[in-house]
Amino acid sequence: MPSSYSVYKRLIGCARPYWFRLAIGIAAGFVVGGSMIGTFHYSKSLLGAFGQPVADVSPAPNHESPAGGSAAPVPEIDLGPLDSVQKTLAEKLNIQTTTPDGRMTRAFLLITLLGLPLFMGLKSVSIYVNHYFMRWVGARVVRDIRDEVYANLQRQSLSYHGQADVGDLISRCTNDVSLIERAVSQTIADLTRCPIEVLACVGYVVWASVQSGLVGLLPALAVLFVVTVLPILFMARFIKIILRRALKQIGGLISRMQETLTGIRVVKAFHMEEAEIARFRAMNRFYFKSIIRAVRFELAVSPMMELVAIIAVCLGAVICYQHGITLAAIVPVAFAASSAYRPMKQLAKINVNIQRSAAAAERIFELLDLNTALPEAPNPKVVTEFTEGIAFKHVSLRYSLDEPWIIDDINFELKRGQMVAFVGETGSGKTTVANLAARFFDPEKGRVLLDGTDLRDIETAALRKLIGMVNQETILFNDTIANNIAYGSPEATMDEIITAAKQANAHDFIMENPGGYGRYVGEKGFVLSGGQRQRIAIARAILRNPPILILDEATSALDTVTERLVQEALSHLMENRTVFAIAHRLSTIKHADQIFLLDKGRIVEHGTHDELYAQGGGYRNLCDIQFS
């Protein structure tokens, strides 16, 4: 498992395209630190002035002493490192800096006081700029990550999606990414500003302590800093471990919700509502306990920081009392040290956020690093037409080495314009043959050729443009009927959509509803019947008008009359086209040019309907069972 900071380093690396905004935010963070130093200096100047002991000066004529000596010396006021800047400004404005009794003049006090709002205003503006640009970069990075995750999932192979938990994938793309977004958008801003603030405060504390003779405070402050940091780092590791487990559990929750809501008809048909509610509550309760464990560790950070701060104040007070240090000497150091408390506390929260977002980022990067997509040839051939035929040459396929062959040594050739049908018992490998023809999988042995070219040497996008499919499981999206028919053909006009629907015998039932082609079909076409959904899918394939059609039980959900009408439409569509037909209903494939009977992944019989029926083998047995 990668360390949290290596994961976070990769996460921050995603911000490189936005280096300009990042640089502005970082520069604003430096300005914050500089403005804090200026504030400390001006504060010390004011405290030094008001804390300066007043000399016992008695007024005398011409400011001379009673003994006739020289005038009493005016005490010099130590205004700190900015004294020269302030005095230079006062001299240019012809303003006196001190009164005869050693006090700061009102005019010079005004000059000094103007510096504080200036530096505080500069600090406020810099904090705003730092937060805005850093949060912009953080939000943009998260947006890019979400785009990349979704795009990478779309590129994965069907074998991966067949085994992946959809609920967990959705959780990673939504919940995990949102967790990163909340953490990163704030953490990047604080991470570029708080260290600068701490360094400014610590640097001034060291300098002021040396100048004021308070060096003895520094070892105590250093020890307190170490005592504070180590427990925070220790707790943050536990937070990461707990949150990673919690993220897995929320993935399970979403997965269960997705399964039960998608299969709500089954749940209600078997009266399992209460059982599913109880199961979900148990999973949710377990997730709640994991989150509360992380919250306990996370909330302990702030009280610990405050306890250490109180100890530091008490220890500093004792040291000052023992050494007789005046209030004027200790207040500037205490002010700078207390100013470091807030950014140090923020850094502690940053560490917690790093562990929190790292747990989510690890799961996100697992998806980004995923690569199960079928490999593309270095220089793939771009095909634009299908002219000759498709050939399977000794093709074998299995999903893993410890499983039996799904397809075992399949050999056949299919000329352009022919219709071939695959029949057999469930699990015999019929759909797998069609999937190999569309290159959803690559064979472990043998080759699949298109016009004499191995499918692995053809550009995948170009190959898919030649193929239209109507699957056994009809998939419709929660969109309008028109958009579902035009899926894959975005340039299609409304007239073309209606024509395709008429050919698929879908136009009449579409227009029976007031919504017509603009009617939304619901989740997976919930508002339509099985036969209606299948006719929409057939219309989608007709509209695409590809040279190769794959019909996987394309008419299985149609009644007899509708099936005949759709078959007539498909007969016109199949002219001069190659068709893979996978059927359990043998009446739909009687006129196929070739019929292949599969058994455990092997071709055991092939020929026309009449030839196979005359042989009296397995195909005739299937026909007799169905037609009887």
Side-chain angles (χ1 to χ4, degrees), residues 92-113:
K92 289 184 177 181
L93 296 176
N94 196 23
I95 295 175
Q96 188 176 357
T97 58
T98 57
T99 62
D101 61 354
R103 295 181 181 277
M104 181 183 295
T105 64
R106 291 182 180 181
F108 191 66
L109 175 63
L110 180 61
I111 295 175
T112 303
L113 290 176

Side-chain angles (χ1 to χ4, degrees), residues 412-442:
F412 68 88
E413 291 188 8
L414 174 61
K415 298 298 182 181
R416 184 183 185 278
Q418 288 186 334
M419 175 183 177
V420 295
F422 297 89
V423 299
E425 297 179 355
T426 301
S428 60
K430 304 184 298 296
T431 300
T432 304
V433 173
N435 289 336
L436 286 168
R439 209 201 166 201
F440 291 146
F441 304 99
D442 281 335

Side-chain angles (χ1 to χ4, degrees), residues 423-425 586 597 617-627:
V423 299
E425 297 179 355
L586 304 182
L597 176 64
Y619 180 80
R620 178 168 182 167
N621 185 46
L622 290 176
C623 289
D624 290 344
I625 293 174
Q626 278 198 20
F627 297 146

Side-chain angles (χ1 to χ4, degrees), residues 200-222:
C201 296
V202 171
Y204 186 83
V205 166
V206 173
W207 180 87
S209 298
V210 173
Q211 293 291 320
S212 305
L214 304 177
V215 181
L217 284 175
L218 299 180
L221 292 175

Side-chain angles (χ1 to χ4, degrees), residues 162-207:
Q163 301 173 1
D165 187 331
V166 176
D168 183 64
L169 295 181
I170 294 174
S171 175
R172 295 194 191 199
C173 293
T174 54
N175 187 66
D176 290 20
V177 172
S178 297
L179 189 62
I180 293 175
E181 183 172 13
R182 290 194 299 270
V184 173
S185 296
Q186 300 177 12
T187 301
I188 290 182
D190 294 336
L191 195 59
T192 55
R193 191 191 73 257
C194 291
I196 300 171
E197 293 182 11
V198 171
L199 289 176
C201 296
V202 171
Y204 186 83
V205 166
V206 173
W207 180 87

Side-chain angles (χ1 to χ4, degrees), residues 443-482:
E444 185 175 332
K445 296 180 181 180
R447 298 186 302 162
V448 180
L449 306 177
L450 177 74
D451 291 343
T453 303
D454 195 316
L455 295 187
R456 286 170 285 205
D457 297 327
I458 299 176
E459 184 185 68
T460 304
L463 173 65
R464 300 282 166 75
K465 289 180 180 179
L466 302 177
I467 298 174
M469 295 192 69
V470 180
N471 295 311
Q472 181 176 2
E473 180 185 0
T474 304
I475 301 297
L476 297 183
F477 300 98
N478 190 12
D479 203 341
T480 64
I481 291 177

